[in-house]
Amino acid sequence: MATSTSQPKIALYSETVLVVEGDVLARIVLCEYLRHCGYRVLEAVNSDEALTLLQQPTISIDVVLTDINIAGALDGFALTQWIRQNKPQTDVIIAGSAAKAADAAANLCETGPMLARPYEPQVVLDRIKRLRALRSRRKQG
Amino acid sequence: MSSAKGKTVVVPAPIEGPESGTKPRTILVVEDEVLIRMMISEALRSRGFAVIEAATAEEGLIVLQSDTPVDLLLSDIRLPGALDGVALATWVRANKPELKIVIAASHLGLTPAGAVDAVFDKPYDLDEVGDCIANLLAGRHGD
């Protein structure tokens, strides 16, 4: 078999998405779908891992998709606030089903209501595209 | 390939494995250090493998006990939680004997002889691990 194993394939990604999701099976589906759509996808199982990735100067993250109920020092809302304060160029999508948090989420997430779980991959993709388009329009304006 | 706003985007080929036209082989990477996990996972994806990331042996077990197809386990030997890499490898040998197992260990002596297909001392070389995995999945041992 020909495995040109030492020669990585060249892949140019449009955007990098960090998915913060503690449910490994949900994370698999979501991340693979986003990769199939052409995104570079980084995975974090909790907020501590997410912060480690976000604070790496060599890693550029365009969008963070986070569950509300994540393990670690910060929950999804606190992680979002941290990103707003420290990485304002990074868009955030909060995913969750906690209706009581909807108002808070609306304030934090400029694009409106949260994504409902279980994730619908196409909805996630559409949301990311809209976020990036909005960001692009603001930059041009 | 697709393009938008003059920017060319080459979509990675998830349906094409190391052997052209074949379904990609799936590697379960169990590593609790997120930066190491990211690096080895991206290196393996760049070779055409499908990679599932797990941060603990418990997460790995959830994947292995699901319907998710996995061809090879690459696990750190030291993992947080009730199970470490040795326990995970032992479970795989007993319950999924067809899976190849590669272990990353800080001290090679910790790895039970014969229980795994390959062992790498940490920090490991990404290319060496990738070559080893490619050989194991191609049925070539000891290359």
Side-chain angles (χ1 to χ4, degrees):
Chain A
M1 144 186 138
T3 54
S4 54
T5 49
S6 60
Q7 191 65 42
K9 291 179 181 178
I10 297 173
L12 300 176
Y13 301 92
S14 53
E15 307 282 354
T16 297
V17 180
L18 170 60
V19 174
V20 190
E21 168 59 63
D23 180 338
V24 63
L25 298 181
R27 199 170 66 239
I28 289 171
V29 174
L30 192 60
C31 292
E32 282 309 294
Y33 181 81
L34 292 171
R35 287 189 185 102
H36 289 198
C37 295
Y39 291 101
R40 179 193 186 199
V41 181
L42 308 181
E43 303 184 26
V45 304
N46 55 43
S47 63
D48 300 335
E49 286 196 352
L51 287 173
T52 298
L53 293 170
L54 285 162
Q55 293 178 96
Q56 291 298 310
T58 56
I59 299 176
S60 175
I61 295 172
D62 300 292
V63 179
V64 175
L65 170 58
T66 181
D67 187 15
I68 295 173
N69 298 308
I70 53 176
L74 306 178
D75 65 11
F77 289 132
L79 178 63
T80 301
Q81 287 177 320
W82 186 94
I83 294 168
R84 288 273 184 269
Q85 292 168 1
N86 297 280
K87 296 277 183 180
Q89 75 281 11
T90 301
D91 293 315
V92 183
I93 301 172
I94 302 179
S97 59
K100 63 180 182 179
D103 290 340
N107 291 331
L108 289 170
C109 191
E110 59 193 351
T111 57
M114 297 178 295
L115 295 173
R117 296 184 70 190
Y119 300 115
E120 196 64 47
Q122 186 61 49
V123 174
V124 174
L125 183 63
D126 290 343
R127 177 66 60 84
I128 290 173
K129 286 180 175 176
R130 283 202 300 272
L131 263 176
R132 302 310 294 163
L134 178 64
R135 176 76 68 182
S136 178
R137 284 198 299 272
R138 286 179 177 171
K139 281 180 181 173
Q140 291 170 1
Chain B
M1 180 185 294
S2 62
S3 63
K5 297 179 182 176
K7 185 178 185 179
T8 300
V9 178
V10 179
V11 177
I15 57 172
E16 184 179 320
E19 297 177 36
S20 181
T22 64
K23 188 180 177 186
R25 311 302 292 273
T26 300
I27 301 164
L28 172 60
V29 174
V30 185
E31 167 63 62
D32 62 312
E33 294 183 48
V34 64
L35 293 175
I36 295 175
R37 194 175 73 235
M38 181 198 74
M39 283 191 292
I40 187 63
S41 296
E42 294 205 322
L44 293 171
R45 287 188 189 107
S46 75
R47 290 169 176 256
F49 294 113
V51 178
I52 295 170
E53 299 185 32
T56 63
E58 283 80 3
E59 272 202 346
L61 269 182
I62 291 171
V63 173
L64 291 165
Q65 292 175 326
S66 72
D67 294 332
T68 309
V70 176
D71 298 294
L72 184 144
L73 167 69
L74 169 61
S75 177
D76 191 9
I77 198 166
R78 292 178 184 237
L79 294 168
L83 298 177
D84 62 7
V86 174
L88 184 61
T90 302
W91 186 93
V92 168
R93 272 290 177 263
N95 296 278
K96 301 245 178 194
E98 72 281 7
L99 256 69
K100 304 293 184 188
I101 303 174
V102 177
I103 290 288
S106 298
H107 301 286
L108 295 181
L110 293 174
T111 307
V116 301
D117 295 290
V119 180
F120 285 90
D121 201 2
K122 288 182 79 176
Y124 49 71
D125 182 271
L126 296 178
D127 287 335
E128 284 183 19
V129 173
D131 288 346
C132 172
I133 286 174
N135 286 332
L136 282 172
L137 291 178
R140 297 198 299 259
H141 298 266
D143 288 2

